């Protein structure tokens, strides 16, 4: 819909609008109201250049499009029935939990092996372990490839599929070739389109899955979905969306909790949603509550930082990793909350 600034356009402006939209095979329907005239665009209105050219006209207030810029990730796209599988298990069926250390400490691999077993015992489905870490300071521990061997050894010992963050093309290659099941794109890289394309290229013919975090700087929901579109466009749509908190607008939590966007994501895209409560609230004692909130909003699962001895961990673990006994309760309680929200959706659907 094209909304002009003034109530009526001049005949010359009308002709110019028709000429521009015509170039994009769009037919204009003039809607003449008592007080103003607006213009409906009939045809594929997703051309970015069309929108920018219309918005560039000084007599146009704004252009509202009904169709989304994303073609593959949209709820009604040809991929609407695509099932995202990790190691045979479908994300979006039941409530899946990825848990494990923020950071693998290569000096203390036994902590990671113990954590991995504890995740399995607690009812976790997949294991996370940070091999390479995006750190604010270049002097902080950055991760190292040796930790990848520890991650893969834990996979062999527990049988759990594994998740780790990748930040450049070389790390993608190393992780994919080692057999990492879920490549995590961190909040700092969710807007790194070069990396998203590189991942898309490297996983094109593989069963590898991507857990795409929401950048703390993303405003619009569609910006998040379009980042996923970058990967899907290269052929592998095994993508999970992961809200993890945005830049805080108040003091207290590490980031501004955003698990509630799960409902909005689910209205717009078919992609499963796994919420990260740890980087959102940033403190272990808050994490169980954020987990249940995510389940209540209908998330398909959680990614949780867990450590057998959080205070002996590195990276984020000392402040925001929960212990395995807390994890076990969080998993069963979140699954119960998830079931309750499912019943609410069913009731709403029946009464509609
Ligand atoms: C992490 O998962 O440890 C991490 C660095 O997450 P984020 O990218 O959300 O900050
Ligand atoms: Mn972390």
């Amino acid at each position: 819909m094209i909304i002009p600034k003034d109530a009526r356009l001049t005949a010359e402006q009308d002709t110019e609008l028709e000429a521009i939209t015509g170039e994009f095979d769009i037919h204009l329907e003039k809607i003449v109201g008592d007080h103003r005239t607006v213009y409906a665009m009939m045809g594929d209105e997703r051309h970015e250049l069309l929108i920018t050219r219309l918005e560039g006209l000084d007599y146009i207030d704004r252009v509202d499009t009904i169709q989304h810029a994303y073609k593959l990730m949209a709820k009604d796209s040809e991929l609407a029935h695509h099932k995202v599988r990790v190691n045979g298990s479908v994300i979006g069926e039941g409530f899946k939990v990825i848990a494990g250390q923020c950071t693998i400490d290569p000096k203390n691999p036994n902590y990671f092996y113990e954590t991995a077993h504890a995740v399995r015992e607690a009812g976790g489905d997949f294991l996370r372990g940070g091999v390479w870490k995006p750190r604010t300071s270049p002097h902080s521990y950055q991760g190292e490839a040796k930790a990848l061997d520890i991650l893969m050894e834990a996979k062999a010992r527990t049988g759990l599929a594994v998740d780790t963050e990748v930040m450049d093309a070389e790390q993608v290659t190393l992780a994919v070739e080692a057999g990492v099941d879920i490549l995590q794109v961190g909040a700092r890289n969710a807007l790194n389109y070069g990396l998203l394309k590189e991942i898309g290229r490297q996983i094109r013919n593989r069963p590898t899955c991507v857990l795409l975090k929401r950048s703390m700087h993303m405003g619009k929901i569609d910006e998040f979905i379009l980042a996923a579109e970058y990967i899907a466009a290269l052929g592998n749509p095994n993508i999970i969306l992961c809200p993890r908190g945005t830049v805080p607008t108040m003091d207290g939590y590490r980031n501004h909790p955003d698990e509630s966007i799960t409902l909005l994501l689910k209205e717009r895209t078919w992609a499963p949603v796994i919420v990260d409560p740890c980087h959102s609230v940033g403190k272990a004692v808050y994490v169980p509550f954020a987990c249940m909130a995510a389940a209540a909003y209908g998330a398909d699962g959680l990614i949780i930082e867990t450590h057998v001895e959080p205070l002996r961990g590195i990276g984020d673990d000392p402040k925001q990793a929960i212990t395995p006994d807390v994890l076990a309760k969080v998993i069963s309680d979140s699954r119960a909350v998830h079931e309750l929200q499912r019943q609410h959706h069913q009731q709403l659907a029946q009464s509609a």
Side-chain angles (χ1 to χ4, degrees):
M1 187 74 72
I2 303 171
I3 325 275
K5 280 187 184 138
D6 293 332
R8 312 275 180 219
L9 293 184
T10 63
E12 291 75 38
Q13 289 168 336
D14 254 8
T15 311
E16 186 175 37
L17 267 194
E18 269 166 27
I20 294 175
T21 48
E23 279 181 47
F24 295 87
D25 294 328
I26 302 266
H27 166 71
L28 277 189
E29 280 296 337
K30 214 165 160 177
I31 303 169
V32 185
D34 284 348
H35 302 290
R36 61 181 304 135
T37 302
V38 295
Y39 298 76
M41 290 188 283
M42 316 304 283
D44 186 350
E45 52 180 26
R46 286 174 295 190
H47 303 281
E48 197 188 351
L49 185 58
L50 164 70
I51 312 294
T52 11
R53 280 182 62 191
L54 292 172
E55 285 175 342
L57 299 171
D58 58 8
Y59 52 88
I60 296 301
D61 179 44
R62 62 175 206 277
V63 181
D64 292 341
T65 55
I66 299 167
Q67 288 162 336
H68 303 294
Y70 38 91
K71 301 179 184 176
L72 299 169
M73 299 307 296
K75 207 174 170 67
D76 56 359
S77 85
E78 65 202 57
L79 289 171
H81 301 291
H82 174 68
K83 290 201 184 310
V84 175
R85 282 193 170 78
V86 176
N87 222 2
S89 155
V90 178
I91 313 291
E93 286 178 6
F95 188 79
K96 301 291 194 296
V97 175
I98 308 171
Q101 290 174 201
C102 167
T103 308
I104 297 170
D105 179 359
K107 292 201 184 80
N108 292 295
N110 284 337
Y111 280 133
F112 193 68
Y113 299 137
E114 285 169 30
T115 297
H117 282 288
V119 166
R120 201 183 58 189
E121 292 309 300
D125 301 278
F126 313 116
L127 177 66
R128 65 157 284 159
V131 171
W132 301 284
K133 298 304 299 179
R135 304 304 300 275
T136 307
S137 164
H139 306 298
S140 303
Y141 175 70
Q142 302 286 309
E144 52 184 288
K146 209 162 82 186
L148 183 59
D149 299 335
I150 299 169
L151 181 68
M152 299 320 289
E153 175 62 21
K155 175 178 173 171
R157 291 189 191 186
T158 59
L160 294 174
V162 292
D163 158 286
T164 203
E165 177 167 353
V166 286
M167 291 176 288
D168 60 38
E170 191 192 342
Q171 292 170 2
V172 176
T173 308
L174 287 171
V176 164
E177 285 177 0
V180 167
D181 304 274
I182 307 171
L183 299 180
Q184 184 175 313
V185 177
R188 289 155 195 80
N189 274 308
L191 288 164
N192 180 345
Y193 300 124
L195 179 67
L196 300 179
K197 286 195 267 189
E198 183 60 35
I199 290 174
R201 271 192 292 272
Q202 291 206 38
I203 66 167
R204 195 194 324 250
N205 298 313
R206 295 181 183 261
T208 316
C209 183
V210 177
L211 180 124
L212 176 68
K213 297 246 192 145
R214 181 182 184 208
S215 160
M216 58 280 247
H217 302 296
M218 277 175 181
K220 297 208 154 119
I221 304 282
D222 283 359
E223 209 179 344
F224 188 17
I225 300 175
L226 279 166
E229 182 93 3
Y230 264 92
I231 302 168
L234 286 152
N236 180 343
N238 282 329
I239 302 164
I240 302 166
L241 299 175
C242 178
R244 51 76 73 201
T246 56
V247 170
T249 49
M250 59 183 182
D251 56 342
Y253 297 135
R254 178 175 177 180
N255 283 292
H256 191 91
D258 62 348
E259 63 280 329
S260 67
I261 69 161
T262 302
L263 282 171
L264 307 178
L265 289 170
K266 289 198 164 283
E267 274 171 15
R268 297 184 197 191
T269 166
W270 52 263
V273 177
I274 283 196
V275 168
D276 172 349
C278 295
H279 293 84
S280 167
V281 295
K283 205 167 166 187
V285 290
Y286 303 144
V287 168
F289 309 99
C291 290
M292 287 186 284
Y297 277 111
D300 300 294
L302 299 163
I303 176 163
I304 308 176
E305 291 185 338
T306 310
H307 194 294
V308 277
E309 282 193 56
L311 293 179
R312 299 204 173 271
I314 58 174
D316 292 328
D317 287 322
K319 60 177 188 217
Q320 63 190 38
I322 58 174
T323 54
D325 52 337
V326 175
L327 177 71
K329 182 159 171 53
V330 156
I331 292 178
S332 69
D333 290 351
S334 301
R335 287 192 171 133
V337 173
H338 185 257
E339 171 55 22
L340 289 175
Q341 72 77 39
R342 194 190 64 75
Q343 290 169 17
H344 275 279
H345 278 290
Q346 212 169 25
Q347 192 187 29
L348 286 172
Q350 276 161 7
S351 57

